[in-house]
Amino acid sequence: MEERNCMNEDMKKVNGGVESPFDRVVERRGSGSYKWDSASDPDVIPLWVADMDFATAPVVVEALRRRVDHGVFGYTLVGDEYYDSLVCWFASRHDYWIDREMVIYTSGVVPAISAIIKALVQPGEGVIVQTPVYNCFFSSIRNNGCRQIDSPLRRVDLPDGRFTYEMDFDDLERCAAQPDAKLMLLCNPHNPAGRAWRRDELARVAEICRRNNVVVVSDEIHCELTMPGFKYVPFGNVDREVNGGTPRAIVCLSPSKAFNTAGLQIANIVCPDARVRRMVDRAININEVCDVNPFGVEALKAAYTIAGARWLDDLLDYLAANYEFTRSYLAAELPSCPVSLLEATYLPWVDVSSLGIPTEQLEERLRDEAKVWVNCGEMYGKGGFIRINIACPRSVLAEGLRRLCNWIKEGVS
């Protein structure tokens, strides 16, 4: 893969004069990248799809290189070392103790969610989501013939000009009490609201769903990606406490977001109830997502190590600096478009409602005219917003933001 260094002196100043490994620009265009090669115009800067433009951790690359050198890529047996890596990582880093007998591996969190819905919800029955939320929740519900039940998050404006979201527990209670509500998809941390849900908030969710016999499925794919001062709280821990030591919730995990390995297709379902686990495992097989590739297995084992943790800590520092750069830039250039408080993920949510243009149209025009690609809010169930992916070298981010702001300041018509 070709690499080029386009870091300029201005960007070095942002880092205190020190160039970070994450400043290195890896040329992804022409590599079959969905993010970079989907635009017909090669000048477009993509700040949309939620994968990072950073090379993954060197320890992962070395593990994959060793596996390539073996030269044979047959069907994969997922062995003890894989489960040990998963269990030890979450126990040591997040104090989340996973019984390996509860784990079902699969090719991704989205296939996992789809299979869980197939296993536990009959066509026509309801699945609760807290909008705005990850768009694949909508398609997984729809593709299984189920009914989407929206419990919108409530916006909270902050004194510093930013905004955040909180759960509407009264509305969640109303949704969970509906006779056909069988399952809730929880996004923890939340995409695109950027919340790292607190323990007390998650406990309320667990209590409401237990009282109404609604199964919680927690998508925790962004669990590693927290900002300074905020912490990921595993829903599995809270669920165990609320249910008197007997966990009921299903948790979906993957290293793919934190280590930028989505193309390797590996994820895990943690399902504590043996009867439900058999149902989910059957649905995984019915959906034909029961086999994984050897590279995903090796990547997880390598990522969940001390070397992987050190790389991840450096990544989090860089993402935090990218967020501060983004919010400062937008505050100066587009003060009428506030940015969300980002507690987790690398996906700031920006209020562009003051522009008076549907954000589906705004996304298209920014891509075609400003040559920068962001995601429109309608995709996540909330118009008037855009989502920006800041997980890229700061020089690329700066150019993308410059194009976006200049185009808007020149006048949206």
Side-chain angles (χ1 to χ4, degrees), residues 63 71 85 110 169 192-193 217 291-293 312 331 335 347 350 369:
S85 297
V110 173
F169 292 110
V217 178
D291 292 319
V292 293
N293 74 68
L312 178 59
L347 303 163
V350 182
E369 299 172 23

Side-chain angles (χ1 to χ4, degrees), residues 50-97:
D51 71 12
M52 300 189 290
D53 289 330
F54 310 124
T56 190
V59 67
V60 174
V61 174
E62 288 304 315
L64 296 178
R65 185 173 289 120
R66 288 193 298 271
R67 189 65 184 86
V68 168
D69 288 344
H70 182 266
V72 180
F73 313 114
Y75 295 116
T76 300
L77 175 67
V78 178
D80 290 343
E81 189 178 354
Y82 175 91
Y83 293 102
D84 290 344
S85 297
L86 175 72
V87 170
C88 290
W89 175 268
F90 279 91
S92 61
R93 193 166 179 94
H94 302 298
D95 197 27
Y96 178 27
W97 294 84

Side-chain angles (χ1 to χ4, degrees), residues 117-246:
I117 294 172
K118 179 185 289 292
L120 303 182
V121 188
Q122 294 298 312
E125 292 181 331
V127 178
I128 302 168
V129 294
Q130 294 175 303
T131 53
V133 75
Y134 178 45
N135 57 295
C136 285
F137 282 10
F138 306 145
S139 57
S140 292
I141 295 168
R142 182 177 61 251
N143 291 343
N144 280 288
C146 300
R147 182 173 72 90
Q148 180 178 315
I149 303 174
D150 290 348
S151 181
L153 298 174
R154 288 194 302 217
R155 173 172 169 158
V156 178
D157 290 311
L158 302 173
D160 65 0
R162 289 181 291 177
F163 63 96
T164 187
Y165 288 90
E166 63 183 16
M167 297 187 190
D168 185 338
F169 292 110
D170 290 337
D171 186 70
L172 181 58
E173 184 84 57
R174 177 192 63 79
C175 292
Q178 296 183 30
D180 70 339
K182 302 299 180 183
L183 187 145
M184 175 182 175
L185 294 180
L186 173 69
C187 202
N188 176 44
H190 194 281
N191 167 25
R195 283 296 315 276
W197 299 116
R198 300 187 309 269
R199 182 173 295 271
D200 62 299
E201 293 171 309
L202 295 176
R204 290 284 299 277
V205 171
E207 290 162 359
I208 289 169
C209 289
R210 179 188 60 177
R211 191 161 55 245
N212 290 281
N213 201 31
V214 171
V215 176
V216 177
V217 178
S218 187
D219 173 358
E220 303 192 353
I221 196 169
H222 291 278
C223 67
E224 310 294 347
L225 299 168
T226 52
M227 291 286 127
F230 297 97
K231 184 179 179 181
Y232 153 64
V233 179
F235 189 76
N237 284 349
V238 176
D239 176 65
R240 181 181 292 111
E241 295 165 5
V242 169
N243 287 289
T246 305

Side-chain angles (χ1 to χ4, degrees), residues 35 60 124 156 214 307 328 368 373:
K35 180 180 181 181
V60 174
V156 178
V214 171
S328 296
D368 295 343
W373 196 344

